[in-house]
Amino acid sequence: MAEVLFCQRRCRTTISDMREEDLYTEQCDGDEQRSVADEPLWERQALPIPRLRVSHRDPHLDPLTAKMWLRDCFAAGRVPSADVVEVVRSQSWRDLEHEGGSLDVAGDRLYILFFLSMYAKLSYVKVGRTERKDDGAQVRKRIRAHESEAKIAQAVLFDAWISRPCVSAVAWEKGVKAHLGAAAEEDIIPVERVKAEYFRGIRFGAAVRVAEMHREPSGVDFLAP
């Protein structure tokens, strides 16, 4: 049986300051070894853009492993492989279906997206809402549009949450954005408001908890499944 072993090391402030042994995160599959040092430096290179839901070449690369690998590559200043980006991104889309059910069903939805950037300061959480339409395909279009926008920050869709369809998510969205905006102004939690719906510093899980906290006060009325 193939065995996957990981040895994570904390990266120092710059690549030049690292000891050689600190640079490596190895994945062993039989005689095959892979390390962060094998990936190309990202200087003047863009993130690879794989097609969604295309089978990746490495059958042993599970989503958790891919996320760890992506973080390690970013921390070491290196471009992750297309396989890694593909697995992370595909898992985020599966998480959306797991949380909100079929994305093709009509109805208002609130969503929280976390984009992890090569440059730590450019990672961010996006709070948004899709409006009720007869054609639920607009949910996919909206999130893909956010993915395209994230390319500017060299960021990957790393975590994603979406609500089940509801009659209206207008008040819900306003409540979440107001909560995060107030927290940013009053320094209640580590969050910085970049634009009306964009926040940096806050963890994805914390943003989702804020959304769940405002569900009942917002009078959300979910549609029948």
Side-chain angles (χ1 to χ4, degrees):
M1 178 182 291
E3 187 176 11
V4 179
L5 301 176
F6 272 88
C7 179
Q8 284 189 291
R9 305 283 187 182
R10 287 190 174 276
C11 296
R12 303 299 185 258
T13 55
T14 65
I15 298 295
S16 60
D17 291 334
M18 289 182 183
R19 296 176 303 169
E20 183 177 359
E21 60 266 34
D22 291 326
L23 186 60
Y24 288 87
T25 301
E26 295 185 352
Q27 178 180 337
C28 306
D29 180 15
D31 294 330
E32 182 180 349
Q33 289 191 343
R34 186 180 181 186
S35 76
V36 173
D38 295 329
E39 305 295 341
L41 290 170
W42 77 40
E43 187 177 0
R44 296 184 296 279
Q45 294 189 46
L47 278 171
I49 305 173
R51 286 183 290 178
L52 191 62
R53 298 186 186 280
V54 175
S55 297
H56 52 83
R57 293 185 296 274
D58 186 347
H60 302 291
L61 189 59
D62 61 273
L64 180 59
T65 297
K67 285 189 172 185
M68 292 170 62
W69 188 259
L70 185 68
R71 284 190 181 278
D72 286 341
C73 282
F74 282 2
R78 297 187 177 261
V79 179
S81 68
D83 290 346
V84 169
V85 175
E86 178 183 303
V87 174
V88 170
R89 183 172 172 245
S90 294
Q91 182 59 45
S92 294
W93 280 87
R94 284 194 293 272
D95 289 343
L96 289 171
E97 298 255 13
H98 176 73
E99 294 292 338
S102 173
L103 301 181
D104 296 322
V105 177
D108 270 25
R109 294 175 188 257
L110 179 73
Y111 57 82
I112 308 287
L113 309 175
F114 172 59
F115 290 93
L116 181 69
S117 173
M118 283 183 169
Y119 307 94
K121 292 182 179 180
L122 297 184
S123 298
Y124 61 91
V125 164
K126 170 73 171 69
V127 179
R129 173 178 59 90
T130 59
E131 298 177 350
R132 179 181 175 85
K133 300 282 185 181
D134 292 333
D135 177 11
Q138 58 126 4
V139 176
R140 299 180 189 280
K141 292 177 182 176
R142 178 70 62 83
I143 294 174
R144 283 172 183 156
H146 291 318
E147 284 191 290
S148 294
E149 180 184 57
K151 294 175 187 176
I152 299 173
Q154 290 284 61
V156 177
L157 181 59
F158 194 83
D159 283 307
W161 173 91
I162 195 169
S163 72
R164 291 182 288 118
C166 58
V167 175
S168 174
V170 174
W172 194 4
E173 180 192 31
K174 286 182 179 178
V176 173
K177 291 192 294 186
H179 184 122
L180 294 178
E185 290 178 6
E186 299 176 19
D187 241 0
I188 299 174
I189 55 178
V191 55
E192 173 191 0
R193 190 170 198 162
V194 183
K195 291 173 66 177
E197 300 179 342
Y198 296 79
F199 301 87
R200 290 182 186 149
I202 188 170
R203 292 183 178 275
F204 169 75
V208 172
R209 286 193 293 274
V210 169
E212 292 172 339
M213 182 191 311
H214 282 270
R215 182 181 60 200
E216 288 189 13
S218 301
V220 177
D221 186 11
F222 290 112
L223 299 173

